Amino acid sequence: MIRPESILTGILLSIISTIALAQTHTEYAEKFLNSLSETQTAAALYKFESDERYNWHFVPKKDRTGIMLGDLNAQQQKHAFNLLNACLSDNAFKKTAEIIQLEVVLKELEKRKPDDKYRDPTRYALVFFGRPSKTGAWGWRFEGHHISFSFSTLNNKLISATPGFLGANPAIVPSGPQKGKEVLKEETALGFQLLQALDPGQLKAAIIAGETPKDIVTFITRKARIDNPEGILYSQLNKKQQQLFEQLLGVYVNRYQEKYSKNLIDEIKRDDMNKLR
């Protein structure tokens, strides 16, 4: 018997090794939805105005709306990943695929039974808000353990990619065939590089807590906690430090398709880099 995660791994490896997208993300979305049965479509499709658009999370145990990867056949899974690939950069898509496969590693590390579905690479959901079209507004979300991407499109142009979240557990694989694998190494290395480039006074301004927070500071709330801005301003960094800051910022902004990422960087620069912290 072929296990669903084995099929999934094959599809992901196939897409990663032959990244050459020929269609727009809207066309890939249409192709995916057209491949679904009526029952699957009913599970996957919501109105664009639905409050479900704001219901996002990145924990493994949440009961998710939409349609799960495990409920799709191999061809439907391929359509799903082609769509995700069309919305992300090749680098971010590769990281996303690797994070999904970390569920297999976690299952082994936690010594879970074969039929235990708590750690399962097929427990990622797709949900659509409005039917994909080259005119008008529609959106979609891809979400599961340590991954949540929400996209909004207007007139065939990607206009929003938030919330967007990638995490990795384990951060570094401690044992087994993938020992030493660190999916988010780029983010970690640049973060420490910038931190270590600061002088003592800058460091005091940049570090805002004596202990690491239990989780993401704003977690899944829709309200950003920026009432009392903390940290060090871009304008307070020297030239070399600013370059490191921009590199780190670029890791996150460039997770998305090239055109959207460029528009996002241009928007940040128009709004004044000096105001970033």
Side-chain angles (χ1 to χ4, degrees):
M1 179 179 174
I2 299 175
R3 297 170 66 181
E5 55 264 40
S6 300
I7 297 171
L8 189 63
T9 301
I11 291 167
L12 287 167
L13 289 174
S14 169
I15 292 173
I16 289 169
S17 63
T18 58
I19 292 175
L21 296 168
Q23 295 174 293
T24 67
H25 70 282
T26 301
E27 289 169 326
Y28 281 115
E30 290 173 327
K31 187 173 284 189
F32 172 74
L33 277 179
N34 288 339
S35 75
L36 302 182
S37 67
E38 284 187 23
T39 303
Q40 288 175 317
T41 302
L45 190 58
Y46 285 70
K47 291 183 178 179
F48 184 75
E49 300 80 11
S50 170
D51 286 343
E52 178 58 32
R53 279 180 65 213
Y54 310 115
N55 179 27
W56 76 288
H57 220 306
F58 49 82
V59 298
K61 62 185 177 181
K62 183 177 170 63
D63 290 329
R64 289 186 162 81
T65 50
I67 189 162
M68 307 295 284
L69 287 177
D71 295 327
L72 303 174
N73 62 37
Q75 189 58 48
Q76 291 169 330
Q77 287 179 357
K78 187 169 183 178
H79 289 324
F81 285 118
N82 277 334
L83 168 59
L84 184 61
N85 194 9
C87 292
L88 298 176
S89 67
D90 294 345
N91 188 35
F93 178 76
K94 184 173 182 291
K95 288 178 183 178
T96 303
E98 290 174 340
I99 289 168
I100 291 172
Q101 292 308 311
L102 282 180
E103 292 299 281
V104 179
V105 174
L106 273 179
K107 192 169 185 174
E108 293 290 332
L109 291 174
E110 294 172 353
K111 296 180 170 54
R112 293 182 178 274
K113 295 178 180 178
D115 59 349
D116 188 323
K117 295 294 183 184
Y118 187 73
R119 304 293 187 191
D120 189 336
T122 67
R123 290 187 67 227
Y124 287 80
L126 294 90
V127 58
F128 290 77
F129 305 102
R131 188 168 279 279
S133 169
K134 291 179 182 177
T135 58
W138 66 278
W140 79 289
R141 182 172 67 223
F142 181 83
E143 185 177 84
H145 184 210
H146 276 162
I147 299 170
S148 187
F149 283 118
S150 296
F151 302 99
S152 295
T153 294
L154 181 63
N155 297 331
N156 206 26
K157 179 183 178 183
L158 187 62
I159 60 166
S160 175
T162 56
F165 178 90
L166 287 180
N169 184 13
I172 303 174
V173 178
S175 59
Q178 298 190 65
K179 183 179 180 179
K181 187 177 186 64
E182 187 177 358
V183 177
L184 300 182
K185 185 175 183 178
E186 188 179 21
E187 289 82 347
T188 304
L190 273 171
F192 277 118
Q193 201 175 338
L194 174 57
L195 202 62
Q196 290 160 1
L198 303 179
D199 66 37
Q202 292 173 315
L203 207 57
K204 189 174 180 181
I207 297 176
I208 64 169
E211 294 182 6
T212 306
K214 184 180 178 182
D215 213 310
I216 311 305
V217 175
T218 50
F219 202 50
I220 59 167
T221 178
R222 291 175 62 191
K223 180 175 171 56
R225 286 175 55 178
I226 52 175
D227 297 330
N228 300 301
E230 296 177 288
I232 189 165
L233 286 163
Y234 177 86
S235 59
Q236 296 172 312
L237 302 175
N238 63 38
K239 211 71 176 170
K240 183 181 177 182
Q241 293 165 340
Q242 286 180 346
Q243 287 174 348
L244 287 171
F245 184 105
E246 288 176 35
Q247 279 183 267
L248 182 59
L249 177 65
V251 169
Y252 292 88
V253 173
N254 293 323
R255 280 179 172 174
Y256 306 104
Q257 57 171 242
E258 187 176 358
K259 192 171 183 181
Y260 175 76
S261 291
K262 184 182 182 305
N263 289 341
L264 199 55
I265 282 289
D266 289 345
E267 186 179 333
I268 289 169
K269 288 180 177 177
R270 279 198 306 272
D271 286 345
D272 192 357
M273 289 282 289
N274 288 317
K275 295 176 183 176
L276 290 183
R277 293 179 178 269

